[in-house]
Amino acid sequence: MNATECILGRRSIRKFKQDSIDHELIEKIVKTASYSPSWKNTQITRYIAVEGELKDKIASECTPDYARNGEIIKDAPMLIAITMIKNRSGFERDGSYSTRKEGGWQMFDAGVATQSFCLAAHEAGLGTVIMGIFDDVKASSLLNIPEERELVCLIPIGYPDEAPTAPSRKEVSDLLSFQ
């Protein structure tokens, strides 16, 4: 599968087979994602693989605003919590900001790594969906995320039990301008 096929073929998967995922496969996917570019090679993204009771507890206790996310998490054999080390990406060594974007650059780096993770998972035959609607304070507590890190998103992952079609896309003329 080349990069274009991977990008065009990946879909958000919300229904999974109950087959467990080999930990070595997750390690391989994270190794691939670790090659994502980052601000001054800071490599701030960290991954937590969650299974079993803790996964189900996060599903039950951390999705009150959108219960469907809890159902999707419970359905998946594994949940990946994406975290980032705070105050490194977009900053100078003395702690000052490098650009007017200030600390916003760190979310960009975590996003690039998250997309790389999802594409590598797709290439490996796994499905993912990136979730942003959850109680991040409660989930961070349950996951024992240290103070210097921030929980960015949750990604249920597993072997797909659905094959959604691609949603419509905007025309290139709506997305691109030349000057």
Side-chain angles (χ1 to χ4, degrees), residues 24-89:
E24 288 180 10
L25 180 57
I26 296 298
E27 290 171 1
K28 180 180 176 187
I29 292 166
V30 168
K31 182 175 179 72
T32 299
S34 77
Y35 281 84
S36 299
S38 63
W39 181 273
K40 297 183 180 182
N41 198 32
T42 51
Q43 302 178 49
I44 63 168
T45 307
R46 300 293 185 270
Y47 308 83
I48 304 169
V50 186
E51 299 171 293
E53 290 180 24
L54 181 55
K55 176 187 72 74
D56 292 342
K57 187 171 186 168
I58 291 169
S60 297
E61 297 181 17
C62 300
T63 59
D65 294 331
Y66 190 61
R68 178 72 179 120
N69 278 354
E71 295 167 14
I72 295 166
I73 293 169
K74 281 185 182 177
D75 185 49
M78 184 181 285
L79 179 68
I80 302 294
I82 302 287
T83 71
M84 65 181 174
I85 299 173
K86 298 187 283 189
N87 303 324
R88 284 200 190 154
S89 182

Side-chain angles (χ1 to χ4, degrees), residues 165-170:
T165 58
S168 63
R169 299 293 179 202
K170 295 182 185 292

Side-chain angles (χ1 to χ4, degrees), residues 7-24:
I7 293 166
L8 294 178
R10 188 210 166 262
R11 300 282 167 270
S12 292
I13 301 298
R14 295 174 175 85
K15 189 173 180 186
F16 303 93
K17 296 178 182 173
Q18 291 307 302
D19 302 349
S20 63
I21 304 169
D22 188 296
H23 289 191
E24 288 180 10

